């Protein structure tokens, strides 16, 4: 046991992972086994795709792109208006592992399979494959065995284009080749999945004329063959076309599907919905929910116990709800919730537990109050609404509720409240699923001359992330705060520091949307300027809203975008960090397509190993990713005490009464700290910005010292232990 700083131990552990530089070598004969190393999603909005062989060349065509496959590689061209030469050519250069010899290859003629819409380049030990899909073109590299070496697996491509690359250097979340004012060709993130379902994000490095795609060493070393690349995550797909607006989305765990809902505008507008599989494929046709107003959205939530969705919409001043089953069957008639204004704001929060079968709906009434009610989907009592109550009185509008109440069934409801014509603040309450208010005044923002409005929120029933707009001096910015509830002190709800998500000058940021991912929170938003509207996302630390995963692009181009929403699988009860992001995209003819993209967070993996006892609190390690200078080990919900943090690369699993110490003290750093009166403490450990630290595994656990603790040999109470894998 070493009484060092955790940072010193982490630094020593990580520095040992740096591999030697590679040296080139020719390709050898094709070896055995199978490994897909990396993929690029070349996203364009298409409805169908096909390939054919004409005049000695393989061609691929989708509704919005064409692709030429020749000996010198792939040339990808979008069908929308682009300047002359508005295409990108990708040509294989080499494959290597850091610390080993590189495999290179001469140009080779491609082979096509028209029935499968697949084009292959057999390059000896490396198979380069292109699969044309209904919504994108996927590129992958398939290895029968690994190149020599012990570092990251890296594929290097030569690129050629007249378009402007949106970035240089690291671009792990993807990037774009842009034609300003016309559109872009996007390159998505790299994801590897092995035969046992293990998953790892890869990395991307961009330079003039070159593109590197890599998978981390630790993942490659232990991958079960065959290892493949997820072909859809990071790609954009079309949910529905036409005149549509204001989408929303929710997730059902049992059936592993999303429900996307929106308003279809026209002489008579309708609330509509469509099921989407977790693989990004729409299921069945469009569901008609009922007539509705142009001015109000549709809101959806999930009831895990009943495997059903609830869709809420405004039918000409009457707030209504319908049940939607995973098979697409809707309730015969909608139920009425309340009479509201034609442009009333409302929201609905679901239930991930199997101990209850209702959702909570909140809305703004015509008197400036925020009201709440329960909607139950009961086998015996049917689908009905009950228990209406007022949670804010006077000058309150724009309510939002967390996507679920977490395992404890606690919700944060937020809204904007006008203090004057130019001074609006974000306030809220913490309430349970039975509408009992646990904290009646959560002051997310305070009066200060700015106008804060349009909040969104998601969380796990104990902590939440709130994002909102701020209007100050004519500028619209996206802001963020974290909120933590302490069950032992309900009136002591903790509000984290205010952080800026996006504050570009002269742009109008709009429509912030939050999805709780467990180890982080996703914040998506719209960035409109005078010529176009773009959709972006970032992930943030759930404790203080510091940026975890930097900005990634969902859509850039001439389209105008007015609304974005997102839902995580975590909000449906899953223990992972996937999400679906949906948005409204208007083209030149003002048609409103509903587009979507699947998202997988790259925020580190923190696996709960248990071992806690007594009042040891809850152990957290969020945003464990390379380059995260603000990474911290944290304990919450404990008690005030002198405390020890154990951090080490090995585990021992030593029992002590009802407790279990997981990190091996012999190889661990031990940090002495004191927890606050609220039972909180943290130790900051910056993670180096290097791909070589990815995959490194650490074990952490807290001991809150006490002579009356549950463990007597090391007197005190233990938190749960975590296994932390850096991404």
């Amino acid at each position: 046991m070493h009484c060092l700083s955790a940072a010193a131990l982490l630094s020593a552990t990580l520095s040992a992972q740096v591999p030697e530089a590679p040296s080139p070598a020719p390709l050898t004969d094709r070896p055995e086994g199978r490994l897909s190393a990396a993929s690029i999603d070349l996203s364009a909005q298409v409805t169908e795709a096909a390939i054919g062989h004409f005049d000695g060349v393989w061609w691929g065509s989708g509704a919005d792109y064409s692709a030429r496959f020749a000996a010198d590689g792939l040339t990808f061209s979008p069908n929308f208006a682009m300047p002359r030469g508005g295409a990108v050519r990708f040509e294989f250069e080499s494959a290597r592992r850091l610390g080993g010899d590189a495999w290179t290859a001469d140009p080779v003629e491609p082979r096509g399979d028209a029935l499968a819409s697949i084009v292959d380049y057999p390059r000896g030990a490396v198979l380069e494959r292109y699969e044309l899909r209904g919504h994108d073109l996927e590129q992958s590299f398939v290895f029968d065995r690994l190149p020599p070496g012990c570092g990251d697996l890296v594929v290097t491509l030569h690129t050629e284009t007249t378009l402007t690359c949106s970035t240089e250097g690291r671009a792990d979340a993807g990037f774009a080749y842009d034609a300003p004012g016309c559109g872009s060709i996007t390159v998505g993130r790299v994801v590897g999945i092995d035969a046992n379902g293990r998953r790892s994000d890869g990395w991307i490095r961009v330079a003039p004329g070159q593109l590197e795609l890599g998978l981390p060493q630790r993942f490659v070393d232990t991958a079960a063959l065959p290892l493949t690349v997820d072909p859809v995550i990071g790609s954009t797909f079309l949910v529905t076309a036409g005149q549509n607006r204001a989408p929303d989305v929710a997730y059902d765990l049992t059936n592993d599907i999303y429900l996307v809902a929106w308003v279809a505008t026209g002489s008579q507008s309708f609330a509509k919905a469509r099921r989407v599989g977790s693989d990004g494929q729409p299921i069945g046709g469009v569901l008609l929910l009922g007539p509705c107003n142009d001015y109000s959205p549709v809101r959806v939530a999930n009831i895990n116990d009943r495997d059903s969705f609830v869709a809420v919409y405004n039918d000409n001043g009457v707030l209504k709800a319908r049940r939607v089953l995973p098979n697409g069957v809707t309730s015969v008639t909608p139920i009425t919730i309340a009479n509201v204004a034609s442009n009333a704001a409302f929201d609905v929060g679901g239930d991930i537990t199997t101990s209850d079968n209702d959702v909570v709906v909140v809305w703004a009434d015509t008197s400036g109050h925020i009201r709440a009610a329960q909607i139950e989907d009961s086998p015996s009592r049917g689908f009905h609404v009950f228990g209406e109550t007022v949670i804010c009185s006077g000058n309150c509008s724009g309510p939002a509720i967390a996507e679920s109440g977490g395992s404890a069934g606690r919700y944060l409801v937020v809204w904007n409240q006008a203090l004057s014509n130019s001074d609006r603040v974000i306030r809220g309450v913490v309430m349970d699923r039975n509408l009992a208010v646990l904290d009646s005044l959560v002051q997310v923002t305070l009066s200060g001359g700015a106008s804060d409005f349009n909040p969104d929120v998601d969380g796990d029933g104990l902590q939440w992330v709130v994002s909102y707009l701020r209007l100050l001096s004519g500028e619209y910015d996206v802001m963020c705060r974290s909120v933590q509830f302490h069950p032992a002190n309900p009136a002591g709800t903790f509000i984290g520091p205010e952080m800026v998500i996006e504050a570009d000058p002269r742009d109008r940021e709009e429509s912030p949307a939050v999805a709780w991912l467990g180890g982080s929170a996703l914040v998506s938003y719209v960035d409109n300027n005078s010529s176009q509207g773009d959709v972006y996302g970032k992930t943030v630390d759930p404790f203080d809203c510091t940026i975890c995963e930097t900005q990634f692009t969902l859509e850039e181009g001439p389209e105008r975008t007015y609304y974005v929403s997102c839902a995580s699988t975590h909000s449906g009860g899953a223990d992972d960090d996937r999400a679906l992001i949906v948005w409204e995209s208007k083209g030149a003819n003002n048609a409103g397509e509903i587009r979507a993209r699947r998202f997988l967070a790259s925020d580190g993996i923190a696996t709960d190993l248990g071992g806690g006892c007594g009042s040891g609190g809850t152990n957290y390690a969020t945003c464990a990713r390379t380059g995260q200078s603000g990474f911290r080990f944290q304990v919450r919900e404990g008690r005030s005490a002198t405390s020890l943090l154990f951090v080490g690369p090995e585990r021992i699993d030593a029992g002590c009464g009802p407790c279990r110490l997981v990190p091996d003290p012999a190889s661990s750093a031990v940090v002495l700290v004191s927890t606050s009166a609220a039972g909180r403490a943290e130790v900051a450990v910056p993670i180096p910005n290097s791909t070589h630290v990815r995959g490194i595994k650490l074990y952490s656990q807290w001991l809150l010292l006490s002579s009356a603790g549950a463990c007597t040999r090391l007197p005190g109470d233990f938190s749960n232990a975590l296994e932390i894998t850096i991404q």
Side-chain angles (χ1 to χ4, degrees), residues 86-144:
V88 181
R89 183 172 68 86
F90 300 90
E91 182 180 6
F92 177 85
E93 278 192 358
S94 67
R96 71 184 190 278
R97 293 197 72 182
L98 301 180
D101 297 335
W103 289 348
T104 59
D106 295 327
V108 63
E109 292 295 332
R111 301 181 308 198
D113 183 340
L115 293 178
S117 294
I118 290 174
V119 177
D120 290 339
Y121 286 82
R123 302 184 183 278
V126 182
L127 175 66
E128 182 179 357
R129 166 162 289 183
Y130 295 90
E131 184 173 353
L132 283 73
R133 294 176 175 264
H135 53 271
D136 60 19
L137 184 154
E138 178 216 340
Q139 178 189 52
S140 64
F141 296 88
V142 182
F143 291 75
D144 286 343

Side-chain angles (χ1 to χ4, degrees), residues 41-398:
D41 289 318
L42 303 172
S43 299
Q45 293 302 308
V46 301
T47 55
E48 56 187 34
I51 68 169
H53 195 254
F54 308 103
D55 299 326
V57 176
W58 282 98
W59 287 88
S61 178
D64 290 338
Y65 73 87
S66 63
R68 181 180 184 271
F69 303 95
D72 62 352
L74 159 72
T75 301
F76 183 90
S77 305
N79 287 348
F80 51 80
M82 295 285 275
R84 182 176 295 276
V88 181
R89 183 172 68 86
F90 300 90
E91 182 180 6
F92 177 85
E93 278 192 358
S94 67
R96 71 184 190 278
R97 293 197 72 182
L98 301 180
D101 297 335
W103 289 348
T104 59
D106 295 327
V108 63
E109 292 295 332
R111 301 181 308 198
D113 183 340
L115 293 178
S117 294
I118 290 174
V119 177
D120 290 339
Y121 286 82
R123 302 184 183 278
V126 182
L127 175 66
E128 182 179 357
R129 166 162 289 183
Y130 295 90
E131 184 173 353
L132 283 73
R133 294 176 175 264
H135 53 271
D136 60 19
L137 184 154
E138 178 216 340
Q139 178 189 52
S140 64
F141 296 88
V142 182
F143 291 75
D144 286 343
R145 68 172 171 85
L146 298 176
C150 60
D152 289 8
L153 179 60
V154 183
V155 174
T156 301
L157 304 177
H158 170 72
T159 61
E160 188 175 295
T161 185
T162 60
L163 302 179
T164 302
C165 187
S166 63
T167 188
E168 287 190 11
R170 288 292 297 273
D172 294 356
F175 67 98
Y177 293 100
D178 296 322
C182 297
S184 61
I185 298 171
T186 61
V187 177
R189 66 174 63 228
V190 175
V191 180
I193 306 173
D194 77 358
N196 295 330
R198 292 176 58 245
R199 180 185 299 264
S200 175
D201 276 355
W203 52 265
I204 299 174
R205 185 175 291 111
V206 186
Q210 192 175 77
L211 178 62
E212 287 188 342
L213 313 170
L215 290 177
Q217 172 190 348
R218 287 292 185 91
F219 179 70
V220 176
D221 284 346
T222 58
L225 299 176
L227 179 135
T228 60
V229 174
D230 188 313
V232 181
I233 289 179
S235 61
T236 299
F237 60 93
L238 185 68
V239 177
T240 188
Q243 299 288 342
N244 306 293
R245 61 176 302 273
D248 196 26
V249 59
Y251 174 76
D252 179 68
L253 173 63
T254 304
N255 297 278
D256 195 24
I257 64 171
Y258 297 91
L259 183 71
V260 181
W262 64 91
V263 175
T265 62
S267 56
Q268 171 60 66
S269 297
F270 287 93
K272 295 183 177 181
R274 193 172 194 184
R275 296 164 295 148
V276 175
S278 63
D279 60 357
Q281 298 300 313
I283 301 171
V286 172
L287 308 176
L288 188 65
L289 303 176
C292 71
N293 286 18
D294 286 350
Y295 315 106
S296 293
V298 185
R299 290 286 185 263
V300 289
N302 178 252
I303 302 177
N304 189 31
D305 181 62
R306 296 286 287 157
D307 299 332
S308 62
F309 296 99
V310 176
V312 180
Y313 57 95
N314 186 340
D315 182 1
N316 296 304
V318 180
L319 200 61
K320 295 182 177 180
R322 270 191 188 272
R323 177 184 58 207
V324 181
L325 298 180
N327 62 5
V329 175
T330 63
S331 51
V332 176
T333 58
I335 60 173
T336 295
I337 300 170
N339 293 323
V340 294
S342 61
N343 61 347
F346 54 91
D347 200 5
V348 59
D351 192 338
I352 69 170
T353 71
T354 55
S355 58
D356 214 339
N357 51 18
D358 48 26
V359 300
V360 176
V361 60
V362 295
W363 69 95
D365 68 13
T366 56
S367 300
H369 303 330
I370 304 297
R371 296 179 178 268
Q374 291 174 270
I375 299 176
E376 184 180 39
D377 183 11
S378 168
S380 58
R381 292 180 294 274
F383 187 60
H384 67 111
V385 61
F386 67 100
E388 182 178 320
T389 186
V390 175
I391 56 176
C392 176
S393 299
N395 298 320
C396 309
S397 60

Side-chain angles (χ1 to χ4, degrees), residues 507-629:
D507 281 357
R508 181 182 176 119
E509 280 78 30
E510 297 178 340
S511 183
V514 181
W516 184 264
L517 302 169
S520 64
L522 167 66
V523 180
S524 302
Y525 55 93
V526 174
D527 190 348
N528 276 317
N529 57 38
S530 59
S531 61
Q532 66 184 52
D534 304 324
V535 190
Y536 300 110
K538 297 179 181 180
T539 63
V540 300
D541 189 305
F543 287 103
D544 60 9
C545 283
T546 55
I547 301 300
C548 181
E549 190 168 356
T550 55
Q551 179 176 290
F552 56 89
T553 301
L554 295 165
E555 179 174 288
E556 284 183 331
E559 294 86 356
R560 300 292 297 180
T561 305
Y562 298 97
Y563 200 90
V564 63
S565 184
C566 50
S568 68
T569 53
H570 197 282
S571 70
D575 188 20
D576 57 37
D577 48 8
R578 295 172 291 148
L580 186 69
I581 309 168
V582 297
W583 64 93
E584 162 198 350
S585 182
K586 291 187 178 294
N589 62 354
N590 208 37
E593 294 182 343
I594 304 301
R595 299 180 180 180
R597 176 171 291 184
R598 294 197 303 156
F599 177 77
L600 174 66
S602 177
D603 53 17
I605 301 171
T607 304
D608 192 338
L609 302 178
C613 58
S615 301
T618 304
N619 185 14
Y620 294 96
T622 54
C623 292
R625 56 181 279 118
T626 58
Q628 189 66 16
S629 60

Side-chain angles (χ1 to χ4, degrees), residues 299 343-347 362-365 368-370 395-401 413-417 424-427 452-457 467-468:
R299 290 286 185 263
N343 61 347
F346 54 91
D347 200 5
V362 295
W363 69 95
D365 68 13
H369 303 330
I370 304 297
N395 298 320
C396 309
S397 60
I401 186 171
V413 182
V414 293
W415 57 83
N416 47 266
Q417 191 158 6
R424 288 183 287 179
V425 296
I426 307 298
R427 290 183 175 169
D452 297 334
F453 62 104
N454 197 20
D456 196 32
V457 59
S467 186
Y468 49 94

